């Protein structure tokens, strides 16, 4: 069942509106909701009806931002990889869905000048590179140590729920000099809206299981 669902989602264009339709009747859907909270994530993943409802819930509530295939877009996380801005545990994912999340990168153009900004960009670029750092990167590190370690850690690997890892090849806002400069100078804000008033606890549990399955498949 999971492979069939994945194949269907992969066939969808990420620019299209959700087109999933449930094959289950109302009684079957209600039965899934009644049983959902008593099932573990693993049991949800092994239940064909529960996964069909969970996939449909994603298409109706999440695909507008995360795309039909859940690969995201600029500013919206890819849910099919192993990178998690707010951790990939069941508890954390359920919190993201029910309570929402706000990601905030502060604006630094009012705190540092153009020269310092350029040096900082060079250093941030170097964190994900294996090349030896030069004098400009060394100067950029001093600026980084003053302004950035509180969220991204001293080694650039990031801190859970605060700042993403800057040493890998995953960049939510783009990894080129221009987008990095824009992120530092102007800041970034991203929000995942709360679904607590929209979805029931059972529906949130089903969605949690589905999202967890995306990066494990």
């Amino acid at each position: 069942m999971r492979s069939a669902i994945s194949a269907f989602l992969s066939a969808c264009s990420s620019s299209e509106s959700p087109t999933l339709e449930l094959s289950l009747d109302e009684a079957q859907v209600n039965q899934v909701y009644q049983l959902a909270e008593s099932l573990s994530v693993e049991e949800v993943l092994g239940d064909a009806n529960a996964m069909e409802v969970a996939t449909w819930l994603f298409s109706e509530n999440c695909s507008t931002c995360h795309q039909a295939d859940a690969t995201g877009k600029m500013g919206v996380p890819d849910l099919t990889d192993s990178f998690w801005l707010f951790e990939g545990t069941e508890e954390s994912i359920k919190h993201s869905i029910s309570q929402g999340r706000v990601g905030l990168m502060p604006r630094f153009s009012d705190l540092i000048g153009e020269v310092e900004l350029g040096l900082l960009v060079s250093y941030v670029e170097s964190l994900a590179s294996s090349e030896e750092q030069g004098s400009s990167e060394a100067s950029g590190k001093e600026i980084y140590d003053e302004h950035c370690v509180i969220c991204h850690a001293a080694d650039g690997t990031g801190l859970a729920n605060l700042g993403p890892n800057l040493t890998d090849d995953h960049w939510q806002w783009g990894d080129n000099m221009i987008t990095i400069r824009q992120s530092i100078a102007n800041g970034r804000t991203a929000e995942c809206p709360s679904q607590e008033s929209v979805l029931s606890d059972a529906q949130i549990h089903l969605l949690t299981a589905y999202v967890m399955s995306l990066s494990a498949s």
Side-chain angles (χ1 to χ4, degrees):
M1 181 65 185
R2 286 177 61 191
S3 60
I5 291 170
S6 298
F8 181 91
L9 286 175
S10 297
C12 293
S13 166
S14 62
S15 63
E16 294 178 350
S17 299
T19 57
L20 283 179
E21 292 185 6
L22 284 170
S23 65
L24 306 177
D25 60 32
E26 184 176 357
Q28 290 174 307
V29 172
N30 286 334
Q31 184 178 37
V32 168
Y33 289 152
Q34 290 170 5
L35 294 174
E37 290 186 87
S38 66
L39 301 177
S40 67
V41 166
E42 291 74 19
E43 289 171 329
V44 171
L45 299 181
D47 187 300
N49 285 354
M51 281 302 289
E52 180 176 351
V53 174
T55 308
W56 175 79
L57 286 168
F58 182 90
S59 74
E60 291 293 303
N61 297 279
C62 310
S63 62
T64 300
C65 292
H66 290 284
Q67 307 294 333
D69 60 2
T71 54
K73 55 188 177 183
M74 180 172 282
V76 179
D78 182 344
L79 301 178
T80 66
D81 59 28
S82 59
F83 301 97
W84 294 92
L85 294 175
F86 295 98
E87 300 180 301
T89 65
E90 178 181 349
E91 180 182 7
S92 181
I93 293 172
K94 187 167 291 186
H95 179 92
S96 296
I97 296 171
S98 61
Q99 304 299 315
R101 298 283 190 180
V102 176
L104 175 63
M105 165 73 180
R107 172 191 181 102
F108 282 95
S109 60
D110 298 330
L111 297 176
I112 59 177
E114 284 296 314
V115 174
E116 289 81 3
L117 178 58
L119 293 171
L120 182 54
V121 169
S122 294
Y123 177 69
V124 170
E125 283 187 296
S126 74
L127 288 172
S129 172
S130 58
E131 297 181 7
E132 186 176 349
Q133 295 181 354
S135 58
S136 63
E137 286 80 14
S139 298
K141 183 180 186 307
E142 294 179 10
I143 302 168
Y144 177 92
D145 289 343
E146 180 179 356
H147 296 288
C148 309
V149 295
I150 191 171
C151 291
H152 295 285
D155 60 359
T157 53
L159 296 174
N161 304 325
L162 280 177
N165 188 343
L166 302 176
T167 67
D168 56 33
D169 58 358
H170 179 76
W171 295 80
Q172 187 174 334
W173 297 98
D175 61 352
N176 60 70
M177 181 182 68
I178 295 175
T179 57
I180 294 173
R181 190 181 185 90
Q182 289 172 338
S183 295
I184 297 172
N186 303 322
R188 301 285 189 183
T189 302
E191 181 177 3
C192 178
S194 168
Q195 300 295 320
E196 189 174 38
S197 63
V198 178
L199 302 175
S200 67
D201 290 343
Q203 290 173 321
I204 290 172
H205 183 62
L206 290 170
L207 262 180
T208 298
Y210 178 71
V211 170
M212 292 185 73
S213 78
L214 292 170
S215 62
S217 57

